[in-house]
Amino acid sequence: MLKNKIVLSLFLLIVTTSLVAQEPKMVAIARGKFVPLYGATTKTPVEVKPFYIDVYPVTNAQYLTFLKKYPENSRSRIKGIFADKSYLSQWESDFSFGKVNLSNAPVTNVSWFTAKKYCECQGGRLPTMDEWEYVAMADEKRIDARTKESFNKYIMSWYEKPNTYANPVGETFKNYWGVYDMHGLVWEWTGDFNSIFLSGESRKDKDTDKNLFCGSASVNATDLMNYAAFMRYAFRGSLKARYTTKNLGFRCAKDKK
Amino acid sequence: MYTQFNLIQKSKRVAILFFLAIGIFACKENEEKDAKYYENIKMVGQKTAELTAPPFVPAPVGDRPAMKLIVNMEITEKEGEMVDGVKYTYWTFGGSVPGSFIRTRVGDEVEFHLKNHPDNKMPHNIDLHAVTGPGGGATSSLVAPGHEKVFSFKTLNPGLYVYHCATAPVGMHIANGMYGLILVEPEGGLAPVDKEYYIMQGDFYTKGSYGEQGNQPFDMEKAIKEQPDYVVFNGKVGALTGDKALTAKRGETVRIFMGNGGPNLVSSFHAIGEIFDKVHVEGGDLINKNVQTTLIPAGGAAIVELKVEVPGTFILVDHSIFRAFNKGALGMLKVEGEENKKVYSGTIQEGIYLPEGGTIQTMPKVAGTPKNTVAKTLAQQVVSGKALYGRTCSACHQAEGQGVPNAFPPLAKSDFLNANPDRAVNAVLHGLSGEVTVNGKKFNNVMTSQNLTDDEVSDVLTYVYNSWGNNKTIITPEKVKAIRAKPAPKAKDVHE
């Protein structure tokens, strides 16, 4: 009887550890409201329902595991409409990220289609832009650090650091929710990245929707915060779903039932 | 009867002549070619445009017909040096600040390929002021990293135009160096000249103040307040000085395509010791002659031409003069050739003139105590002293300490320096004015007091004493401190 129990618990232990190894680590994000820079045409807050999000962006090693299981997404077999020519172009071959790329560096040069596919195959989805922005506004201690000058300066300093995509995940700060690398590593895909329509002519966009960007002459934390966030929206605005770029990775999310 | 007929005949003739004249004028008006004409001009062939990094420009268009011109422009985000020891991440069109020079003629169809390098983090686009169309091309050219956008436009108006990035935040993209010039030459081309150069002014905003070492990020607050730390020609301090100076030979005509990227400041472009013979005002058709200083708006340009009659080094500045001597807006045009005494004699006579109330000028002191650092080795002192020299002293005393005859005394092999190091320390701390004799030559000018810490004075003077054949004196920070503690010497003591 006792022997059986030990065997059972051992079995359970193996199952759970293997589950943990398979399942990327996620954390729960509590329900909340915030006013995003874009997306809210009126200044009314957007509600974010509780959900789970990956602690780290998806790594080269994780993506390789996915490709081995779903080889139709590999570099040579992917259809052109789902990913452009630079898809995984930094990898050595279809099923090897090579020696120059770290196994625990974020996978980049992936399209929206492939990122979405990856998350769905893990039973998840890409986070929405509002979810992503909601998690990203937290610093180490606060849910919303967007008005903190040093926080915005940290975000903006990343724009001037070259080749951060080659760094391993988890080396930036751990935020309020326990999530890493929302800033300072790579850009990330969101499910509805193109829901904010930017014409590409930012000055014109400013005319049509005054809420989009406050370019007032005063210098305060709000302006800085806008600049930091604006870069993300501008970047997303330049993308198409099949595009892949070296500084763009992703992480997955999941509904909380 | 006869006379009457004659009169009628005459008036008929006059009328015919009159109509003929109108006809001629009407024809002439048609010859004034407008945008409509160039829109429909016949194009012959196609080629890939030659692009050049500043200060050079592509070959003139000459009398070639209008054609299809393919422009391949690659955007790169890369680290560069603003001034010795100061790193800055520039965003560039074609790898340089300002971006590659594009040369077209009126009526060309330009097929523009905008390529955003895969390593870049930012999306970018381009607004060319030479484009007739929404956003100057910006609406059609937003391009993600690792991608390419293609659009084409017809050059309808001749002139010199600025292009720049217009991706949000627009000011930041421009402040990081995303601007350049596109020239649309008139039919038949601009008149040939001997030398052509490309310069653009830009203002830069860094976290640290002028000369603060290390990697300096862009400072948004200073940019909004329009308080630049650097105002420079061609993207960095010293891009057009020393061995990078523009050159010409006496008697040549030099044409400068001069633009202003901004983002904020307007330039008062001036060549010290020269007069612009011709200025295409604001880069357009209007030609002004004999101009001392021409105003170049942010996002604007001018074509200036000058015939250099006299050899020497001519300093190009933004005549908002603190920008030139304290923020970097200074370039050089070196003209070689025989002296031309008819035009410029040089100093004919020197005398002493001491007006009442002459005082030594001082620089304002920055609040806060100077930082103390650990003792440096001679090599370390020389390295940081050299950087300081490049920023603070070389504008007057020149890169190799050779000075400028009759204006700024030499520091190289200087008997004045080697005879008395304390006097040199005093000159840096308190300034120096009035007549001094250096290596047998008399100088009578004003040096301002320099706002440097004890360490900085020690470094820069040690560098000077250990360079260019001087006597290798080492000036310690302690010595500087001791001299600083004493009252400033009287002029009489300094000059002896």
Side-chain angles (χ1 to χ4, degrees):
Chain A
M1 193 61 195
L2 188 71
K3 201 182 169 189
N4 270 354
K5 264 191 181 168
I6 289 170
V7 169
L8 187 69
S9 47
L10 259 178
F11 175 74
L12 277 173
L13 194 71
I14 289 162
V15 167
T16 44
T17 46
S18 65
L19 264 178
V20 167
Q22 294 272 308
E23 198 94 338
K25 232 165 86 188
M26 284 194 161
V27 289
I29 308 295
R31 177 192 304 273
K33 280 183 179 177
F34 79 114
V35 182
L37 178 64
Y38 273 74
T41 39
T42 58
K43 285 264 174 184
T44 47
V46 170
E47 195 191 337
V48 177
K49 296 207 172 90
F51 67 105
Y52 294 102
I53 194 161
D54 283 350
V55 171
Y56 308 109
V58 174
T59 63
N60 282 316
Q62 288 169 331
Y63 201 77
L64 180 62
T65 313
F66 158 75
L67 287 184
K68 283 178 177 161
K69 213 166 162 190
Y70 304 96
E72 66 275 16
N73 293 295
S74 63
R75 205 166 66 178
S76 60
R77 286 180 58 189
I78 190 87
K79 299 240 175 358
I81 55 164
F82 295 131
D84 63 16
K85 277 185 195 143
S86 50
Y87 177 60
L88 294 178
S89 58
Q90 80 280 27
W91 280 28
E92 195 177 81
S93 65
D94 269 16
F95 299 104
S96 166
F97 46 80
K99 288 193 184 93
V100 282
N101 301 297
L102 297 174
S103 64
N104 61 343
V107 63
T108 62
N109 270 329
V110 289
S111 70
W112 177 84
F113 289 109
T114 54
K116 181 171 174 278
K117 190 88 188 160
Y118 176 97
C119 291
E120 284 167 4
C121 291
Q122 322 290 323
R125 56 175 173 79
L126 286 171
T128 66
M129 194 152 56
D130 285 343
E131 285 171 344
W132 198 95
E133 290 288 327
Y134 181 68
V135 177
M137 71 188 189
D139 67 355
E140 291 96 330
K141 293 192 180 107
R142 290 198 278 178
I143 291 181
D144 187 355
R146 290 181 297 170
T147 54
K148 213 171 116 190
E149 193 179 333
S150 59
F151 180 63
N152 289 303
K153 285 198 167 154
Y154 175 83
I155 297 173
M156 292 203 287
S157 73
W158 173 67
Y159 304 146
E160 313 195 355
K161 278 183 214 135
N163 306 334
T164 47
Y165 56 82
N167 297 346
V169 299
E171 285 195 347
T172 68
F173 69 94
K174 177 182 187 175
N175 81 4
Y176 172 87
W177 304 105
V179 176
Y180 287 83
D181 304 328
M182 297 302 281
H183 306 287
L185 190 64
V186 286
W187 300 111
E188 293 182 18
W189 282 109
T190 60
D192 52 349
F193 74 94
N194 56 359
S195 65
I196 303 296
F197 183 72
L198 286 171
S199 66
E201 228 300 38
S202 55
R203 298 159 298 181
K204 202 174 84 189
D205 297 330
K206 194 174 154 181
D207 271 354
T208 50
D209 188 347
K210 294 274 194 304
N211 289 326
L212 294 189
F213 181 64
C214 164
S216 73
S218 67
V219 192
N220 54 38
T222 322
D223 288 335
L224 268 181
M225 151 187 150
N226 287 349
Y227 265 98
F230 200 98
M231 304 306 253
R232 293 193 293 275
Y233 289 94
F235 178 77
R236 288 172 191 139
S238 74
L239 297 175
K240 289 190 173 139
R242 61 189 284 270
Y243 279 15
T244 70
T245 97
K246 226 177 194 171
N247 283 295
L248 175 59
F250 69 103
R251 72 179 76 213
C252 305
K254 209 185 267 185
D255 292 338
K256 194 173 182 184
K257 276 153 203 158
Chain B
M1 191 64 200
Y2 176 77
T3 19
Q4 210 177 353
F5 170 78
N6 203 7
L7 257 179
I8 293 166
Q9 282 289 78
K10 257 193 178 168
S11 54
K12 262 190 182 167
R13 273 190 206 150
V14 169
I16 288 166
L17 267 174
F18 182 71
F19 282 114
L20 251 171
I22 287 183
I24 288 165
F25 280 121
C27 273
K28 206 164 183 194
E29 255 170 37
N30 282 342
E31 271 173 20
E32 189 74 33
K33 290 167 180 168
D34 56 5
K36 190 84 195 157
Y37 171 83
Y38 290 115
E39 186 185 329
N40 299 307
I41 194 171
K42 185 168 173 259
M43 291 198 299
V44 183
Q46 91 170 43
K47 72 167 181 180
T48 303
E50 176 197 0
L51 302 179
T52 58
F56 303 108
V57 296
V61 300
D63 56 1
R64 75 162 171 82
M67 67 193 315
K68 185 171 170 180
L69 204 59
I70 295 160
V71 174
N72 290 302
M73 183 71 83
E74 187 190 47
I75 296 166
T76 54
E77 296 163 7
K78 63 180 202 183
E79 191 183 271
E81 208 168 38
M82 184 72 73
V83 65
D84 295 331
V86 179
K87 301 268 190 287
Y88 190 80
T89 303
Y90 292 94
W91 298 351
T92 74
F93 285 109
S96 59
V97 177
S100 308
F101 195 95
I102 309 167
R103 195 162 193 163
T104 70
R105 63 147 280 175
V106 66
D108 279 349
E109 182 190 322
V110 180
E111 185 180 288
F112 208 100
H113 295 247
L114 189 65
K115 301 164 184 189
N116 194 348
H117 193 277
D119 284 352
N120 292 351
K121 288 204 172 95
M122 297 297 157
H124 298 285
N125 63 7
I126 192 165
D127 167 352
L128 301 113
H129 292 179
V131 169
T132 307
T139 42
S140 315
S141 61
L142 182 68
V143 56
H147 291 82
E148 176 180 342
K149 277 275 172 75
V150 182
F151 65 102
S152 78
F153 61 92
K154 193 91 177 163
T155 52
L156 300 179
N157 306 78
L160 181 61
Y161 298 93
V162 167
Y163 66 77
H164 61 90
C165 184
T167 306
V170 181
M172 182 178 182
H173 283 254
I174 295 176
N176 281 339
M178 296 197 78
Y179 45 78
L181 290 179
I182 174 170
L183 173 66
V184 182
E185 291 200 58
E187 200 153 3
L190 293 167
V193 291
D194 302 301
K195 292 271 162 63
E196 289 186 321
Y197 291 111
Y198 169 26
I199 307 176
M200 268 187 106
Q201 182 171 321
D203 25 309
F204 287 87
Y205 305 82
T206 53
K207 194 165 170 240
S209 52
Y210 184 93
E212 211 167 300
Q213 301 288 287
N215 205 336
Q216 292 295 331
F218 168 68
D219 189 311
M220 177 64 75
E221 292 181 32
K222 286 181 181 173
I224 294 173
K225 285 182 185 156
E226 305 191 15
Q227 292 170 345
D229 300 283
Y230 298 88
V231 182
V232 296
F233 294 146
N234 289 355
K236 59 178 287 184
V237 178
L240 296 172
T241 60
D243 54 2
K244 283 171 272 171
L246 308 179
T247 57
K249 292 197 180 73
R250 185 191 138 186
E252 286 186 327
T253 299
V254 179
R255 175 182 286 146
I256 299 172
F257 298 101
M258 176 71 196
N260 184 3
N264 289 321
L265 301 187
V266 164
S267 173
S268 305
F269 188 54
H270 175 83
I272 299 176
E274 262 296 347
I275 295 149
F276 301 138
D277 299 313
K278 255 167 100 178
V279 175
H280 289 250
V281 178
E282 292 165 8
D285 285 354
L286 178 66
I287 290 177
N288 197 1
K289 291 183 177 170
N290 305 325
V291 178
Q292 56 186 312
T293 300
T294 191
L295 204 61
I296 304 173
I303 305 171
V304 305
E305 289 174 22
L306 57 155
K307 187 171 179 209
V308 285
E309 282 94 353
V310 175
T313 298
F314 297 89
I315 313 283
L316 308 170
V317 294
D318 178 345
H319 215 296
S320 293
I321 210 72
F322 276 100
R323 298 177 190 168
F325 293 104
N326 299 71
K327 295 185 175 183
L330 186 145
M332 287 175 185
L333 171 63
K334 286 188 179 162
V335 179
E336 287 179 352
E338 293 281 302
E339 289 286 348
N340 186 351
K341 297 280 186 191
K342 252 178 166 175
V343 175
Y344 185 73
S345 68
T347 306
I348 297 170
Q349 194 191 335
E350 288 181 6
I352 292 171
Y353 171 62
L354 280 177
E356 296 283 316
T359 54
I360 292 176
Q361 299 178 22
T362 51
M363 296 278 282
K365 299 281 182 282
V366 175
T369 48
K371 290 167 216 156
N372 278 322
T373 46
V374 286
K376 288 178 183 160
T377 65
L378 175 63
Q380 285 169 328
Q381 277 199 299
V382 165
V383 167
S384 67
K386 189 178 182 187
L388 265 165
Y389 184 85
R391 297 198 297 274
T392 313
C393 318
S394 67
C396 296
H397 293 291
Q398 305 298 304
E400 298 300 319
Q402 70 271 38
V404 174
N406 303 314
F408 306 118
L411 302 183
K413 285 189 203 150
S414 164
D415 58 359
F416 184 86
L417 284 182
N418 292 326
N420 187 348
D422 287 15
R423 182 169 60 183
V425 174
N426 265 313
V428 175
L429 289 177
H430 305 295
L432 182 61
S433 73
E435 189 176 282
V436 293
T437 305
V438 181
N439 296 347
K441 295 259 166 62
K442 287 194 166 108
F443 293 86
N444 196 340
N445 208 329
V446 175
M447 169 174 166
T448 61
S449 132
Q450 301 299 314
N451 183 23
L452 299 173
T453 66
D454 292 347
D455 280 341
E456 286 170 333
V457 174
S458 134
D459 289 351
V460 77
L461 281 175
T462 301
Y463 166 69
V464 168
Y465 273 109
N466 286 274
S467 306
W468 317 311
N470 286 327
N471 68 1
K472 303 197 184 300
T473 305
I474 290 171
I475 309 282
T476 62
E478 291 71 33
K479 187 183 184 80
V480 178
K481 198 177 174 191
I483 294 175
R484 197 194 286 275
K486 291 182 205 159
K490 295 201 175 75
K492 183 172 83 64
D493 306 327
V494 176
H495 299 131
E496 277 160 4

